[in-house]
Amino acid sequence: MMHNPENLVEMRGIDKRFAHVYALKSVDFEIRRGEVHSLLGENGAGKSTLIKVLTGVYPKDGGEIYFDGKPVEINSRDDAFNLGIACIFQELSLVPTLTVAQNIMLGKEKAKLGVLQKKSMNREVSELIKRFDFPLRAEDVVETLSVAQRQMVEILKALSTNASLIIMDEPTASLSSKESEMLFRIIGQLREKGVSILYISHRLEEVFQLSDRITVLRDGQLVGVVPKEEIVPADVIRMMIGKELSEATASRPLKVSDAHTVLQVRNLTRLGSFEDVSFEVKAGEVLVLAGLVGSGRTEVLRSVYGADPIDSGTVLFEGKPYRHSVSTAIRLGFGLIPEDRRTQGFAPLLSGTRNVAVTNYDKLSRLGVVNAKKEKQLGETMVKLVDLRPANPTVPVGNLSGGNQQKVVLGKWLTRDLKVILIDEPTVGIDVGAKDEIYNFIEQLAARGVAVLLVSSDVAEVLRVATRILVMRNGKVVHEFNDGVVTQENILLVSSGMAEDHRTEAKE
Amino acid sequence: MKGKNLSVAQLLYKYRQLLILAALCIFFAAALPGMFFTMSNFRSILYSMSLYGLMICGATFPVLLGGIDRTVGAVAALSGAICCMIIVNSGYTNQGVVLGILAGVGVGMLSGIIHGVIVAHFDIPAFLLTLATSQVIYGLVQVTTGKELIVVMKPALFTDIGAKRILEIPVPVYVLLICFIVAYFLLNHSTYGRRIYSVGGNREASKLSGINVKRTTITAYMMSGMMAAIAGIVLSSMNQQALSYAADGYENDVLAAIVVGGVSLRGGAGTLQGAIFGSLLIGMLNNGLRLMGVESIYHNFIKGIIIIAAVAADMYSSYQMSGLKHRGGKKHPHKQAAGENQ
């Protein structure tokens, strides 16, 4: 293989397996000096695995990495750092109580006879700031800065170590559009100074606007590299989704149900999270809230459930308002499968039975005394209902696989008289087989007449289960697909805000 | 089927507390022939551990929630003082005893409720909060007693609590037994106990499952305050007097016993019986070491090492559970994947 001297990083034939599943299969990837290179792919395509291999977090199972034309072994973050590879995480590596200068000089402080040379360090950092014209002062304390400014400190920290590659993973996720513009300007300056940027974002608009080249991954494999001149958004999206898929599950017919309305949300607003959200969910319907991470979907779900406060608007259950609290919602027949099952879904040290029983003690107890026999029966029923493996309700849920953990979370609600189920990203980190089982449960619930409101960022999943789709962007519902056939492309284009021309209902 | 065929190692692990206790017994019995393994010595071990046991019956509740209550010693002093003062002021009548006990227990519960409300509503670490408030409570005791000993040598209704034996067994042991049964029932057979374990196991998941986390927290601290108050009254009856520093430092032994007994400091795991075993262990250790003539300063030294070992074992086992193990920890995903294939 000839090395192109323009390349700063070359990864050749990278393999990475988890157990026996390939997360990356023979992936080639290169970044040139002074270019902004974006990595695109759907959730689970292998983007973060590739970055983790590059930054030494995961060991690779095969392939070579060249940096500056020389073969290198990157076995730890330190190795990557020493080569000049820096990763910008959301405010993770900064000490909030120290100043900008102290943070940047952390670990490489200047001292004379053991006395810190504050002035000279501040001067050095000030010069660095001036060179890039950042709106910062060396003496600012980090905790008083905005998220965008903290990111700039991270970037400066990377630059102060002469990083030649800066990796930015979803850097705009928590920035306002004005702050994002500032970041893009900075990225432009870095490129001019010969620094390479590896950029990852779900926001396709940004990616297309910023990138010199785009590498597309799908299912752990390289699909192609697209230079700026050749970017056609619809084509790139097609590359991400894949042809084989698009024939099988990439489109779905939708319809408006004529069943009775179970849940009615009117002009719901929670300042800073979502605004003026209105929709209805009917019995037996699966209404999906699609959109990008951070578009306010989870927050809508939690507010409807009574877990988060609302500032204005109303939620009606079967035509009537209800007290805004979780216990009331549960009593009415609501259930929630939360976004992150580990932190919100189950207690890892407790058994499956105990986890499932938590939402059922109204039926399992009398005068506050638990009926242990009924409780045990419930555990056994749950195992059968969700086909738990191993089929043992006494195992601590923390010891189960991700898919089975999610089944337990689902099991909390299945024996109740459910009217509404709110489901948030139900299959993140779950293997394919268990995913299908979970979709089947969702369909069964809908068939029973339960109103299903589901949040998902996985477009294939949206099309697998939806009967109607709302797309949210920046806290607002921007589009509804309720009629005809919808494709993955339609949803992605609307979600990322590039679809003025796709706003009419997709019909075929 | 699966649960019954335990391997020897699993069996040993399951009954490790009993085994450690038995080993300790054999050691002291061999080292102290004719002194340790006697009825009267066991009676005295039970008598002295009854106070700790009573406090454990309450203090385990907040620990199961992932919190902690360091005020148990102070609350015991306060309730003892209040009980004794009421008895003195009533002219040593039986009504005074009843009133004193009720007031003492009431004050303990009130203290627990206040702590629970603060922990539930403000984001103050329970350790710091209760460390500070125990000083406040000790101050309160000194103010109420006027820094004086309150001696109560009558009526018998009061002094019998600490001094009398029924069927050769001291009354405080019965008090402990009753409190243990109550706490055990609450933790193992009531919906309240289920809520405690659930909230301790995962606060957020419990909230989203409709559990009133705040109320659960407040009542847990209330239980702790109540049991500490009962211990304080028993203690003042044993001493036939109330003094402000009577139960000073008890909280350390109580929390040590809870941790040694296998209750996780991060909440959600462990049992009351385990905690009581822990206190038996520490009580037996104290007793044996004293009989062997080991100076008391070394008692603390040895207890400290045991606590560190118990906490380290707890941390290590939950660290293994957490999936955070990094270096050489690639076994973990494999193990999980293997589980999936079953």
Side-chain angles (χ1 to χ4, degrees):
Chain A
M1 178 65 66
M2 280 289 290
H3 292 291
N4 184 340
E6 277 182 52
N7 284 346
L8 178 70
V9 176
E10 276 187 47
M11 299 174 86
R12 292 276 163 242
I14 301 295
D15 283 333
K16 177 68 198 168
R17 288 182 303 265
F18 290 108
H20 42 271
V21 181
Y22 276 92
L24 293 174
K25 200 167 183 184
S26 189
V27 172
D28 293 338
F29 179 58
E30 53 189 48
I31 304 170
R32 293 189 186 141
R33 279 171 227 282
E35 78 166 344
V36 178
H37 195 120
S38 288
L39 202 48
L40 270 187
E42 290 197 285
N43 295 333
K47 290 171 297 184
S48 31
T49 312
L50 188 66
I51 290 166
K52 283 178 178 164
V53 169
L54 181 60
T55 51
V57 179
Y58 291 157
K60 59 183 174 353
D61 293 319
E64 290 109 50
I65 304 176
Y66 300 89
F67 194 87
D68 240 345
K70 290 184 284 288
V72 287
E73 283 296 325
I74 303 174
N75 294 321
S76 67
R77 276 180 195 282
D78 283 348
D79 288 355
F81 180 81
N82 291 334
L83 285 172
I85 301 173
C87 222
I88 309 292
F89 297 105
Q90 300 281 341
E91 52 192 296
L92 266 181
S93 66
L94 299 180
V95 184
T97 51
L98 297 183
T99 65
V100 171
Q102 283 166 336
N103 264 289
I104 290 174
M105 302 303 284
L106 205 63
K108 42 186 188 291
E109 288 88 350
K110 289 188 172 171
K112 258 185 200 156
L113 300 170
V115 180
L116 283 176
Q117 301 297 298
K118 272 193 192 159
K119 270 190 188 158
S120 104
M121 289 195 293
N122 276 346
R123 205 181 314 120
E124 191 174 318
V125 171
S126 296
E127 276 162 20
L128 194 65
I129 293 172
K130 215 183 285 163
R131 188 138 53 94
F132 289 92
D133 192 23
F134 285 179
L136 281 176
R137 278 174 313 180
E139 302 82 13
D140 289 339
V141 175
V142 165
E143 63 188 351
T144 65
L145 300 177
S146 70
V147 178
Q149 285 174 312
R150 290 180 200 199
Q151 249 173 20
M152 290 174 199
V153 179
E154 292 255 20
I155 293 171
L156 286 174
K157 202 173 159 188
L159 293 170
S160 74
T161 61
N162 294 318
S164 47
L165 171 64
I166 298 182
I167 300 171
M168 298 186 183
D169 194 351
E170 297 287 351
T172 54
S174 48
L175 299 188
S176 69
S177 57
K178 212 170 141 197
E179 290 172 327
S180 298
E181 286 305 322
M182 204 184 315
L183 178 73
F184 300 155
R185 196 172 52 79
I186 288 168
I187 289 175
Q189 288 175 357
L190 295 174
R191 168 166 50 190
E192 275 165 34
K193 298 214 156 67
V195 178
S196 305
I197 309 285
L198 174 51
Y199 193 83
I200 293 140
S201 173
H202 274 98
R203 303 184 182 189
L204 298 175
E205 203 179 12
E206 291 174 12
V207 169
F208 296 152
Q209 178 195 333
L210 278 174
S211 315
D212 294 312
R213 291 194 302 157
I214 297 172
T215 292
V216 183
L217 294 179
R218 188 176 68 234
D219 299 330
Q221 285 173 298
L222 177 69
V223 182
V225 182
V226 188
K228 192 176 188 93
E229 315 81 68
E230 294 171 21
I231 294 174
V232 179
D235 290 347
V236 175
I237 288 174
R238 215 163 288 136
M239 287 170 78
M240 288 166 61
I241 299 162
K243 276 240 160 59
E244 315 84 293
L245 246 167
S246 49
E247 278 144 27
T249 62
S251 69
R252 182 172 175 99
L254 302 176
K255 61 170 191 293
V256 180
S257 157
D258 48 13
H260 75 283
T261 301
V262 180
L263 185 68
Q264 222 175 335
V265 174
R266 282 192 200 146
N267 312 105
L268 204 64
T269 297
R270 179 167 187 224
L271 300 176
S273 298
F274 54 85
E275 214 179 302
D276 198 22
V277 170
S278 300
F279 59 84
E280 293 181 353
V281 195
K282 293 178 171 159
E285 218 180 16
V286 181
L287 176 65
V288 172
L289 293 180
L292 301 180
V293 173
S295 56
R297 301 165 304 168
T298 297
E299 290 79 358
V300 169
L301 223 59
R302 288 179 58 97
S303 288
V304 168
Y305 190 59
D308 285 345
I310 45 178
D311 291 312
S312 65
T314 48
V315 187
L316 305 177
F317 173 73
E318 306 206 309
K320 290 188 285 287
Y322 54 92
R323 204 172 77 92
H324 190 80
S325 83
V326 174
S327 52
T328 307
I330 291 175
R331 207 169 45 243
L332 288 173
F334 282 63
L336 173 78
I337 314 279
E339 185 180 21
D340 180 356
R341 59 179 169 273
R342 272 204 166 270
T343 59
Q344 305 165 332
F346 61 88
L349 297 174
L350 297 185
S351 69
T353 302
R354 288 289 181 88
N355 268 288
V356 176
V358 162
T359 51
N360 291 286
Y361 282 118
D362 50 349
K363 296 191 189 68
L364 300 177
S365 67
R366 262 192 75 196
L367 303 170
V369 179
V370 177
N371 183 331
K373 210 172 127 198
K374 277 192 186 170
E375 189 185 39
K376 196 168 164 241
Q377 278 167 359
L378 176 82
E380 283 155 8
T381 311
M382 180 271 297
V383 165
K384 283 195 203 101
L385 274 178
V386 303
D387 188 22
L388 194 74
R389 292 181 212 167
N392 180 350
T394 64
V395 175
V397 177
N399 292 359
L400 300 175
S401 71
N404 283 295
Q405 289 173 348
Q406 190 71 314
K407 287 188 201 168
V408 172
V409 179
L410 200 62
K412 285 185 173 186
W413 308 109
L414 288 182
T415 54
R416 292 188 67 82
D417 184 19
L418 266 190
K419 295 289 192 314
V420 181
I421 187 147
L422 312 167
I423 308 178
D424 201 347
E425 304 283 7
T427 60
V428 170
I430 289 178
D431 64 276
V432 186
K435 261 188 191 181
D436 257 335
E437 287 181 71
I438 292 191
Y439 297 148
N440 289 339
F441 283 122
I442 294 172
E443 277 161 0
Q444 281 167 25
L445 285 171
R448 252 166 64 183
V450 176
V452 182
L453 179 60
L454 183 136
V455 166
S456 177
S457 306
D458 180 341
V459 188
E461 175 169 298
V462 172
L463 294 177
R464 171 77 166 74
V465 296
T467 58
R468 205 150 56 86
I469 301 166
L470 292 182
V471 180
M472 284 189 71
R473 199 166 68 224
N474 298 329
K476 288 183 187 140
V477 174
V478 294
H479 197 84
E480 174 169 354
F481 293 103
N482 57 17
D483 193 8
V485 173
V486 66
T487 65
Q488 296 202 1
E489 256 174 275
N490 298 149
I491 297 171
L492 279 172
L493 286 169
V494 176
S495 304
S496 58
M498 317 183 20
E500 258 61 59
D501 42 338
H502 286 254
R503 280 215 143 186
T504 52
E505 249 83 271
K507 272 184 193 173
E508 261 171 43
Chain B
M1 309 119 261
K2 226 175 186 177
K4 300 223 168 117
N5 297 327
L6 291 173
S7 70
V8 177
Q10 280 170 317
L11 269 174
L12 287 178
Y13 185 75
K14 195 176 170 194
Y15 295 108
R16 63 195 182 284
Q17 289 164 332
L18 272 177
L19 287 171
I20 293 169
L21 221 52
L24 203 66
C25 260
I26 293 168
F27 171 76
F28 281 129
L32 300 159
M35 284 168 74
F36 183 79
F37 218 75
T38 62
M39 187 62 199
S40 70
N41 190 45
F42 270 83
R43 195 182 297 133
S44 98
I45 290 174
L46 279 178
Y47 184 74
S48 62
M49 79 147 270
S50 61
L51 288 173
Y52 295 106
L54 277 169
M55 289 178 175
I56 286 166
C57 287
T60 304
F61 283 73
V63 176
L64 281 173
L65 283 180
I68 202 162
D69 184 1
R70 290 189 55 89
T71 63
V72 288
V75 167
L78 181 64
S79 77
I82 285 176
C83 178
C84 289
M85 280 176 67
I86 289 175
I87 294 170
V88 171
N89 288 340
S90 76
Y92 304 99
T93 59
N94 283 347
Q95 293 96 305
V97 173
V98 174
L99 197 66
I101 290 173
L102 289 178
V105 173
V107 163
M109 289 169 79
L110 183 68
S111 156
I113 290 170
I114 292 169
H115 285 98
V117 167
I118 296 173
V119 170
H121 287 266
F122 306 99
D123 204 13
I124 300 175
F127 183 90
L128 288 179
L129 174 75
T130 55
L131 189 67
T133 50
S134 66
Q135 299 305 316
V136 174
I137 296 169
Y138 274 128
L140 221 58
V141 181
Q142 289 186 318
V143 171
T144 44
T145 59
K147 289 190 192 172
E148 275 172 46
L149 264 181
I150 305 171
V151 181
V152 183
M153 315 241 319
K154 54 186 177 175
L157 183 63
F158 180 69
T159 54
D160 279 356
I161 298 172
K164 204 175 174 185
R165 285 183 198 168
I166 301 173
L167 302 174
E168 286 300 296
I169 295 170
V171 171
V173 179
Y174 290 102
V175 178
L176 169 61
L177 200 65
I178 292 165
C179 289
F180 174 79
I181 290 169
V182 169
Y184 180 87
F185 178 82
L186 280 176
L187 285 176
N188 292 287
H189 296 285
S190 75
T191 52
Y192 173 63
R194 294 292 196 270
R195 286 198 288 272
I196 293 262
Y197 278 97
S198 178
V199 172
N202 190 335
R203 229 182 126 75
E204 189 61 25
S206 304
K207 210 187 270 175
L208 293 177
S209 298
I211 291 177
N212 187 333
V213 173
K214 284 178 182 167
R215 198 164 64 200
T216 309
T217 307
I218 293 167
T219 37
Y221 282 88
M222 187 192 79
M223 281 300 294
S224 181
M226 184 177 89
M227 293 296 184
I230 293 173
I233 293 164
V234 172
L235 175 66
S236 58
S237 167
M238 285 175 174
N239 293 340
Q240 302 194 351
Q241 63 187 33
L243 80 173
S244 55
Y245 278 83
D248 189 25
Y250 273 40
E251 60 270 16
N252 291 326
D253 277 5
V254 164
L255 294 171
I258 291 175
V259 172
V260 169
V263 180
S264 168
L265 281 177
R266 279 171 315 293
T271 61
L272 183 64
Q273 7 359 340
I276 294 287
F277 265 121
S279 77
L280 260 175
L281 188 78
I282 289 182
M284 206 176 274
L285 209 62
N286 276 338
N287 174 276
L289 291 173
R290 199 174 52 244
L291 287 181
M292 284 170 80
V294 178
E295 273 187 69
S296 64
I297 33 172
Y298 295 110
H299 295 193
N300 289 336
F301 181 82
I302 291 165
K303 273 186 281 180
I305 288 174
I306 289 175
I307 292 161
I308 290 169
V311 173
D314 170 39
M315 295 293 243
Y316 183 72
S317 61
S318 61
Y319 170 66
Q320 282 198 315
M321 281 285 296
S322 70
L324 281 174
K325 227 165 102 181
H326 238 293
R327 294 284 158 215
K330 268 194 286 173
K331 281 173 202 135
H332 215 79
H334 284 293
K335 230 195 305 185
Q336 284 190 337
E340 269 165 45
N341 292 338
Q342 296 307 306

